[in-house]
Amino acid sequence: MTEDFTKLFKTMMEQGQEMVRAFNPSLETMPVKGFENFFPTMTKDMMEMWFGRTFNREGLDAKTRLLVTIAALTVLGAHAEAQLKLTIRHALEAGATQREIAEVIWQMSMFGGLPAMQKALEQAQAVFAETEEKNA
């Protein structure tokens, strides 16, 4: 790695760890070993867009970012089932309510269609049930 890339990578990883803490404090100790093998294949502009200018403290808070992600994953329909469930769990951890999550999913019915909305609501209900079971 070049010196400039090494500095960029270090900054990106620090910002990424801050966002991980904001999304879900229990992921703070998430192992990041091996990421450096993947990221050198990405362009500097792409990394700066995703991890520099996009994920920063001055932008959206973690709850809002996660609700926006739920919206996007809902529109993708059945193609993102595992990612949707994971994002719903993180959104709950970040302070989103079940009602807010359901509202976002319902709103996406006009973009992704009723089948995508129904599938996403089923996934959300499964996560809500798991969460309630753990908290009981």
Side-chain angles (χ1 to χ4, degrees):
M1 284 193 228
T2 67
E3 187 176 332
D4 287 341
F5 181 82
T6 301
K7 288 178 188 176
L8 176 65
F9 184 78
K10 183 176 185 256
T11 301
M12 179 204 63
M13 292 305 292
E14 289 167 0
Q15 290 173 340
Q17 283 299 105
E18 280 188 47
M19 285 308 298
V20 165
R21 282 191 290 277
F23 282 169
N24 187 340
S26 66
L27 294 177
E28 185 173 357
T29 57
M30 177 182 80
V32 293
K33 186 177 181 182
F35 276 6
E36 68 277 3
N37 295 329
F38 173 69
F39 284 109
T41 64
M42 301 173 75
T43 66
K44 178 183 175 201
D45 291 338
M46 186 181 290
M47 285 196 307
E48 178 61 27
M49 179 187 73
W50 286 350
F51 299 102
R53 289 179 242 139
T54 303
F55 293 140
N56 61 58
R57 287 187 241 182
E58 295 81 27
L60 300 172
D61 63 14
K63 176 182 151 183
T64 304
R65 288 180 195 276
L66 290 161
L67 289 172
V68 169
T69 303
I70 289 169
L73 293 171
T74 297
V75 171
L76 289 173
H79 301 289
E81 186 175 314
Q83 295 85 350
L84 179 61
K85 287 177 113 178
L86 181 65
T87 304
I88 291 169
R89 286 186 196 98
H90 291 321
L92 291 168
E93 282 290 322
T97 65
Q98 291 181 6
R99 176 67 185 237
E100 289 171 323
I101 292 167
E103 290 282 346
V104 166
I105 293 170
W106 290 326
Q107 180 71 30
M108 292 302 101
S109 67
M110 69 179 77
F111 301 106
L114 292 175
M117 178 199 73
Q118 182 178 3
K119 183 71 172 170
L121 284 174
E122 289 171 6
Q123 297 306 312
Q125 288 171 338
V127 172
F128 298 160
E130 291 170 11
T131 304
E132 288 170 5
E133 192 175 293
K134 284 182 186 177
N135 294 334

